[in-house]
Amino acid sequence: MSETTVQPSADLRALDRLVGAWTVTGGAEGTVRYEWMPGRFFLLQHVELTQFGQPVTGLEVIGNLRPFGEPAGADVVSRFYDSTGNTLDYVYELDGDTVTIWGGAKGSPAYYRGTFNADGTVVTGEWVYPGGGGYRSTMTRI
């Protein structure tokens, strides 16, 4: 397959419904904004939140990995970079109106699962952490 015929994966394109700005409430408060990088192979999330009393500012790059000379990976993965030096990896899945964000590898005991409302303007869900904890979270389109 030539480089000119490579297209973003259907699983990545499905995340288009996240594009835009959202107010986040629940265990983290603030705003997030999703936008496509030119070419639409990567979805960027800009994060401005307060969580557990601490500011969380960062950028997440979401897409299919395609190392030099190799085909694109099957999973939609991401890396989140924050203002305190953390790099966090995730795997995104969208099944109907349900989005799951696995912390680390797919199937991880740490994950977020949320559901879009009928018109796609609200996503409600919960972060689940191993051993307990986690928190409810709602994103409302601005």
Side-chain angles (χ1 to χ4, degrees), residues 72-84:
D75 289 338
V76 175
V77 300
S78 76
R79 176 159 285 169
F80 177 75
Y81 303 88
D82 77 15
S83 57
T84 61

Side-chain angles (χ1 to χ4, degrees), residues 39-140:
R40 297 175 69 97
F41 285 95
F42 297 98
L43 184 61
L44 306 177
Q45 181 185 195
H46 303 270
V47 174
E48 297 280 342
L49 298 172
T50 299
Q51 184 179 29
F52 307 121
Q54 300 299 312
V56 178
T57 302
L59 174 67
E60 184 176 23
V61 180
I62 305 162
N64 298 91
L65 294 180
R66 191 171 71 187
F68 183 73
E70 296 180 26
D75 289 338
V76 175
V77 300
S78 76
R79 176 159 285 169
F80 177 75
Y81 303 88
D82 77 15
S83 57
T84 61
N86 293 308
T87 56
L88 305 172
D89 294 331
Y90 298 95
V91 176
Y92 277 69
E93 286 186 304
L94 183 62
D95 182 13
D97 289 331
T98 301
V99 61
T100 303
I101 306 169
W102 302 102
K106 190 182 216 175
S108 165
Y111 63 89
Y112 168 83
R113 184 162 292 131
T115 304
F116 284 88
N117 69 347
D119 67 3
T121 59
V122 178
V123 181
T124 55
E126 185 171 0
W127 281 97
V128 175
Y129 298 140
Y135 58 88
R136 302 264 321 139
S137 180
T138 301
M139 288 195 328
T140 304

